[in-house]
């Protein structure tokens, strides 16, 4: 039989070991929680620092959003969180199109990208590029990350450039037409002068003028064909 003192000592030793193990696990758990909080803070800082809007979606419902997405859309974090993305689209047709464009299989990476127009909280409409990356490419319902980039300024610049190009094209077309008309009149005068002169020197000068007029006409026609 084991003496009572030895049994008591053995029990105390086991209790101390278990207590030490428990304390170690508690410390490990605390360190893991601290690391998780630090990583979450770093991730939040990175998301808030980027000018691109970022949202975490599950079944097209916002679960998390960064400050840039709020700035782009005009909504607060609280107003976007829990809302379906349909809130931002102009109509159901665009909502369905984006679903077909971004949620269909996108190869190995699963990343899709498309342009769209969305309505901000104040009712204004902006042009954006959307990019979507699922957590699991084989299971989009597990959740996705969507990025939204405001390209309204670029679109306005493109439209202004198109308008300017049309105006320049119209101006050059009218100018080209007017020059060719004036050349036709000039050639008529030259033909009349050739009939009226008997001086060979003047006739030669008129022939040279006609050659120059033909060259000008060819250059004008070239600019039309080049356009």
């Amino acid at each position: 039989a084991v003496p009572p003192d030895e049994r008591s000592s053995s029990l105390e030793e086991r209790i101390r070991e278990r207590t030490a193990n428990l304390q170690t696990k508690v410390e490990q758990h605390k360190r893991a929680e601290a690391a998780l909080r630090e990583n979450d803070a770093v991730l939040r800082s990175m998301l808030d620092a980027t000018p691109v809007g970022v949202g975490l979606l599950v079944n097209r419902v916002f679960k998390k959003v960064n400050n840039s997405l709020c700035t782009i859309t005009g909504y607060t974090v609280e107003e976007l969180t829990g809302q379906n993305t349909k809130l931002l689209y102009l109509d159901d047709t665009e909502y369905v199109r984006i679903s077909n464009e971004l949620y269909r299989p996108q190869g190995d990476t699963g990343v899709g990208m498309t342009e769209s127009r969305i309505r901000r909280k104040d009712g204004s409409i902006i042009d954006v590029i959307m990019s979507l990356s699922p957590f699991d490419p084989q299971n989009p319902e597990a959740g996705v990350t969507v990025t939204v980039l405001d390209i309204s300024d670029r679109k306005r610049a493109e439209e202004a450039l198109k308008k300017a190009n049309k105006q320049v094209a119209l101006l050059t077309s009218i100018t080209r037409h007017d020059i060719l008309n004036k050349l036709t009149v000039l050639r008529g005068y030259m033909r009349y002068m050739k009939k009226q002169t008997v001086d060979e020197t003047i006739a030669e000068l008129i022939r040279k003028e006609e050659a120059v007029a033909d060259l000008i006409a060819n250059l004008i026609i070239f600019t039309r064909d080049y356009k």
Side-chain angles (χ1 to χ4, degrees):
V2 179
D5 290 344
E6 291 185 9
R7 288 200 300 270
S8 176
S9 176
S10 177
L11 179 60
E12 290 177 356
E13 182 64 27
R14 288 199 299 270
I15 290 175
R16 282 196 296 270
E17 288 178 357
R18 291 181 180 180
T19 300
N21 290 336
L22 182 60
Q23 289 176 340
T24 299
K25 290 181 180 180
V26 169
E27 290 299 324
Q28 290 175 343
H29 182 68
K30 287 181 177 179
R31 287 195 294 270
E33 284 187 335
L36 185 61
R37 286 194 297 270
E38 182 179 354
N39 290 338
D40 187 64
V42 170
L43 178 60
R44 169 56 60 181
S45 177
M46 292 173 64
L47 289 177
D48 286 340
T50 177
V52 178
V54 181
L56 304 181
L57 309 177
V58 176
N59 295 323
R60 304 192 76 174
V61 173
F62 288 110
K63 296 302 181 180
K64 288 187 177 182
V65 296
N66 71 340
N67 289 336
S68 293
L69 187 60
C70 295
T71 300
I72 291 172
T73 63
Y75 291 95
T76 65
V77 172
E78 293 74 20
E79 289 171 331
L80 280 179
T81 303
Q83 290 290 333
N84 191 287
T85 56
K86 186 180 289 188
L87 171 74
L88 302 177
Y89 294 111
L90 305 187
D91 50 42
D92 290 343
T93 301
E94 183 66 0
Y95 178 77
V96 172
R97 184 188 74 82
I98 294 299
S99 177
N100 294 334
E101 287 284 334
L102 296 184
Y103 282 84
R104 66 186 180 187
Q106 303 287 342
D108 294 337
T109 63
V111 177
M113 182 180 296
T114 190
E115 289 189 15
S116 182
R117 306 187 77 199
I118 63 174
R119 181 178 285 107
R120 302 181 76 250
K121 182 181 178 180
D122 61 9
S124 60
I125 297 173
I126 59 174
D127 295 281
V128 297
I129 289 180
M130 293 183 178
S131 179
L132 182 146
S133 177
F135 301 151
D136 179 359
Q138 305 304 319
N139 181 25
E141 292 185 358
V144 300
T145 298
V146 62
T147 61
V148 180
L149 178 63
D150 186 352
I151 57 170
S152 299
D153 290 341
R154 193 195 80 184
K155 282 291 187 180
R156 282 192 290 268
E158 288 176 352
E159 290 302 319
L161 183 59
K162 288 179 182 178
K163 183 178 180 180
N165 283 336
K166 287 181 180 180
Q167 292 174 333
V168 170
L170 177 61
L171 177 61
T172 55
S173 177
I174 293 173
T175 303
R176 187 185 304 114
H177 186 266
D178 287 346
I179 292 174
L180 290 175
N181 283 344
K182 297 300 186 291
L183 281 173
T184 299
V185 175
L186 182 60
R187 283 169 170 164
Y189 284 132
M190 291 177 185
R191 287 193 296 270
Y192 177 76
M193 290 173 63
K194 285 173 65 176
K195 292 178 181 179
Q196 299 301 316
T197 183
V198 294
D199 189 316
E200 184 59 30
T201 301
I202 294 177
E204 178 62 22
L205 289 174
I206 293 174
R207 284 192 291 273
K208 290 181 178 180
E209 290 171 348
E210 288 177 328
V212 173
D214 290 341
L215 178 60
I216 293 173
N218 289 335
L219 289 173
I220 294 299
I221 293 172
F222 171 77
T223 62
R224 180 196 64 194
D225 296 338
Y226 183 78
K227 172 182 174 297

